[in-house]
């Protein structure tokens, strides 16, 4: 962790830890051990999976192995967007039919309610405010995409979504050049670290064993291998998301995509009065290289975007440090949206990685022949999706072990989806760097030459990405 000359704290995992404090690290594994289920990764996916397994079958011996501490990865660094987006829904509609994708979307809508309800039941105060999600257009091309996006969401059964013009948007939040927005009630702002800390404590209270400072170097059937010993179990569940590439044989499975954030100092009452944002909605935009933001419980703006999207060789960052150019780029987005905040100080900057499969589809899988399971590839929508994945992993384990049968969750179209690996280096690095450079160029072109049609550059980048 360091401070720049401007006083911006850079790294230290994330602002959320600076705000709530780093946790006391739990004891590492001390030798070979056994369990009924081993969960590799102590983030949202792993902890929710442990939670639901122990709730369903208290007799199960469940062990979580975490390389640093619970919430060190994306679960402690994200934008605090609990919302109903899921990566890959359109592809699942093409593969399995529209109705299957509608069921997946409904499950995600319900998942927002589930996380809020469980946090309340477990006494986890995660600064949850259910204001929904507001996505804003600031150029004619963005407005055309916004209207198409709005209609597309309605086609998946989201009948409570609302479309606003410039005046209605300004009544919610005053963003420079905003020409329209779409709002869904299926979203809430939260404090990511308060949620992950509370969840880890709840899991331990149920009798789950958590070993931190215990990196898993290899997963194979019935074995999770660490430097301190091997844990054997009939089921080994990989819940490592953006850190998956570090495991033996998984280098090209999911690409660790960087996302970076800044947070302002607390705004004054006068500054908030100029902006509005009284509903505390999660805020996004329709740029190709999009941004995401929230109004924090203590009156700051936390805003994120891609920054430098990928490090060569699927490397991950050092405790959240991000490049100065990324801090400046995010700052430029903040002041472009809110010109009145030009003089507001940036207090903290950080980055993290999220897992991106080659086809940009989130998945949950249990291989019944080996007992190996995994979930992830959330492409940045993991705060809620991790919960749905965990409940699905629970049902898959229970079905395989004879403690349950098929359920609505095991029949969802993202279950057991397989995808090819990413290209080897340097093709992987060149492709991702080129893709995001093209998206940013498309956004600049749309701002400078207002037209209702999206820049053709973005379509080129979509093809490179494999999104369509």
């Amino acid at each position: 962790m360091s401070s720049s000359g401007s006083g911006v704290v850079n790294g230290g995992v994330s602002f959320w830890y600076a705000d709530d404090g780093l946790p006391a690290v739990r004891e590492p594994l001390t030798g070979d051990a056994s369990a009924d289920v081993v969960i590799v990764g102590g983030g949202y996916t792993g902890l929710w999976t442990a939670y639901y397994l122990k709730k369903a079958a208290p007799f199960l011996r469940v062990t979580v192995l975490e390389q640093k501490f619970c919430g060190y990865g994306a679960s402690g660094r994200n934008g605090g967007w609990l919302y109903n987006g899921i990566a890959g829904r359109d592809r699942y509609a093409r593969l399995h039919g529209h109705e299957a994708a509608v069921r997946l979307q409904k499950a995600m809508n319900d998942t927002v309610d589930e996380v809020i309800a469980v946090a309340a039941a477990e006494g986890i105060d995660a600064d949850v405010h259910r204001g929904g999600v507001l996505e804003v257009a600031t150029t004619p091309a963005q407005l055309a995409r916004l209207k198409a996006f709005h209609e597309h969401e309605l086609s998946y059964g989201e009948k409570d979504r609302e479309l606003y013009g410039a005046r209605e948007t300004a009544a919610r939040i005053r963003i420079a050049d905003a020409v329209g927005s779409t709002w869904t009630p299926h979203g809430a702002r939260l404090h990511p670290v308060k949620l992950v800390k509370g969840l880890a404590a709840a899991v331990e209270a149920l009798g789950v064993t958590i070993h931190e400072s215990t990196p898993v170097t290899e997963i194979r059937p019935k074995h999770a291998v660490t430097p301190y010993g091997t844990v054997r179990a009939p089921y080994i569940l990989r819940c490592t998301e953006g850190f998956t590439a570090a495991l033996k044989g998984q280098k090209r499975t999911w690409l660790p995509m960087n996302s970076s954030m800044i947070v302002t100092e607390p705004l004054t009452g006068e500054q908030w009065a100029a902006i509005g944002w009284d509903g505390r909605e999660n805020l996004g935009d329709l740029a190709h290289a999009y941004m995401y933001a929230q109004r924090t419980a203590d009156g700051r703006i936390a805003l994120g975007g891609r920054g430098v999207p990928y490090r060569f060789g699927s490397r991950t960052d050092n405790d959240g440090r991000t490049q100065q150019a990324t801090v400046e780029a995010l700052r430029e987005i903040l002041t472009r949206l809110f010109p009145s905040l030009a003089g507001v100080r940036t207090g903290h900057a950080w980055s993290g990685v999220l897992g991106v499969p080659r086809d940009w589809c989130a998945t949950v899988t249990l291989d019944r022949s080996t007992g190996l399971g995994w979930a992830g590839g959330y492409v940045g929508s993991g705060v809620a999706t991790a919960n749905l994945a965990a409940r699905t992993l629970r049902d898959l384990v229970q079905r395989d072990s004879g403690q349950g049968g098929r359920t609505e969750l095991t029949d969802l179209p993202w279950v057991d989806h397989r995808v090819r690996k990413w290209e080897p280096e340097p093709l992987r690095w060149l492709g991702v760097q080129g893709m995001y450079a093209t998206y940013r160029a498309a956004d600049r072109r749309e701002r400078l030459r207002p037209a209702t049609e999206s820049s053709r550059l973005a379509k080129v980048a979509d093809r490179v990405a494999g999104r369509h």
Side-chain angles (χ1 to χ4, degrees):
M1 180 167 62
S2 67
S3 292
S4 69
S6 60
V8 178
V9 178
N10 192 336
V13 188
S14 73
F15 160 75
W16 309 116
Y17 279 110
D19 183 48
D20 200 59
L22 288 169
V25 179
R26 296 169 175 88
E27 291 299 312
L29 184 70
T30 56
D32 291 345
S34 65
D36 296 313
V37 181
V38 171
I39 294 167
V40 181
Y44 290 148
T45 306
L47 293 174
W48 278 124
T49 301
Y51 178 86
Y52 287 112
L53 279 169
K54 283 295 274 188
K55 280 286 194 179
F59 57 84
L60 284 177
R61 296 174 303 143
V62 179
T63 296
V64 175
L65 302 175
E66 162 56 42
Q67 69 162 339
K68 294 273 190 168
F69 54 80
C70 289
Y72 174 79
S75 300
R77 309 190 198 188
N78 63 81
W81 271 46
L82 177 71
Y83 86 120
N84 67 341
I86 183 165
R89 183 194 60 190
D90 290 352
R91 190 180 294 270
Y92 289 130
R94 292 195 296 272
L95 291 172
H96 301 279
H98 184 73
E99 284 310 307
V102 169
R103 287 190 288 110
L104 183 59
Q105 184 59 66
K106 184 181 184 305
M108 281 303 307
N109 297 350
D110 295 343
T111 296
V112 175
D113 300 327
E114 171 74 8
V115 173
I116 293 171
V118 174
E122 294 292 343
I124 302 170
D125 182 1
D127 295 341
V128 175
H129 180 87
R130 186 160 193 164
V133 181
L134 187 73
E135 291 172 275
V136 178
T138 58
T139 68
Q142 284 190 26
L143 183 61
R145 287 198 296 275
L146 177 101
K147 290 177 178 177
F149 168 71
H150 178 83
E151 292 301 318
H152 197 55
E153 296 307 294
L154 295 182
S155 76
Y156 283 100
E158 206 179 320
K159 303 305 182 191
D160 42 7
R161 178 175 282 274
E162 298 175 6
L163 184 67
Y164 303 136
R167 187 177 303 171
E168 295 162 302
T169 301
R172 282 183 173 261
I173 184 168
R174 285 178 283 285
I175 288 175
D177 302 323
V179 289
S181 61
T182 179
W183 176 82
T184 176
H186 300 291
R189 172 214 73 193
L190 54 75
H191 189 300
V193 162
K194 290 181 180 179
L195 177 61
V196 78
K197 283 184 176 179
L199 188 53
V203 161
E204 273 194 317
L206 290 173
V208 171
T209 299
I210 301 176
H211 290 298
E212 296 181 327
S213 299
T214 305
V216 172
T217 55
E218 182 183 1
I219 293 172
R220 56 178 188 261
K222 299 181 173 51
H223 296 75
V225 181
T226 85
Y228 309 115
T230 296
V231 187
R232 292 167 175 80
Y235 299 100
I236 311 288
L237 306 180
R238 190 185 81 221
C239 301
T240 48
E241 245 291 278
F243 290 85
T244 299
L247 289 164
K248 183 177 180 180
Q250 303 294 334
K251 191 82 164 180
R252 293 162 52 198
T253 299
W254 290 333
L255 183 134
M257 183 83 75
N258 286 298
S259 203
S260 299
M261 294 196 72
I262 59 171
V263 67
T264 68
E265 63 187 349
L267 304 190
T268 66
E270 293 77 16
Q271 288 167 328
W272 281 120
I275 292 170
W277 209 349
D278 297 332
R280 292 165 172 76
E281 302 91 344
N282 293 339
L283 177 67
D285 69 0
L286 268 290
H288 300 292
Y290 52 85
M291 72 86 195
Y292 52 94
Q294 68 148 285
R295 176 175 174 170
T296 68
D298 63 345
R300 305 167 188 262
I301 293 175
L303 181 146
R306 281 293 174 265
V308 175
Y310 173 70
R311 289 178 168 86
F312 190 88
S314 291
R315 292 196 301 272
T316 54
D317 61 80
N318 179 27
D319 287 347
R321 275 192 57 78
T322 195
Q323 299 84 357
Q324 185 59 32
T326 297
V327 179
E328 291 166 4
L330 292 173
R331 175 83 192 181
E332 190 273 329
I333 294 171
L334 175 75
T335 55
R336 175 159 29 93
L337 297 174
F338 304 111
S340 64
L341 300 184
V344 169
R345 193 176 68 86
T346 301
H348 204 124
W350 70 99
S351 66
V353 292
L354 47 100
V356 181
R358 190 61 185 89
D359 65 354
W360 301 71
C361 289
T363 57
V364 56
T365 298
L366 179 65
D367 185 333
R368 303 184 75 172
S369 67
T370 62
L372 298 179
W374 57 89
Y378 305 133
V379 195
S381 299
V383 180
T385 314
N387 177 278
L388 178 61
R391 286 181 285 130
T392 306
L393 277 174
R394 170 203 61 194
D395 287 1
L396 291 169
V397 168
Q398 288 208 287
R399 182 181 72 180
D400 186 71
S401 61
Q403 296 164 18
R406 285 174 56 180
T407 68
E408 289 183 2
L409 299 186
T410 62
D411 285 343
L412 290 174
W414 69 328
V415 174
D416 294 335
H417 176 75
R418 301 300 175 102
V419 62
R420 68 183 173 91
K421 292 181 179 290
W422 281 86
E423 291 79 0
E425 296 291 23
L427 297 177
R428 193 159 72 242
W429 186 86
L430 291 169
V432 177
Q433 299 293 337
M435 176 180 68
Y436 273 99
T438 306
Y439 280 140
R440 291 193 188 96
D443 287 329
R444 284 194 299 273
R445 183 171 290 186
E446 289 176 4
R447 285 197 300 271
L448 294 171
R449 304 181 200 165
T452 57
E453 198 171 306
S454 293
S455 169
R456 291 178 184 174
L457 289 172
K459 294 171 184 171
V460 171
D462 283 342
R463 282 198 293 274
V464 171
R467 284 174 160 167
H468 296 300

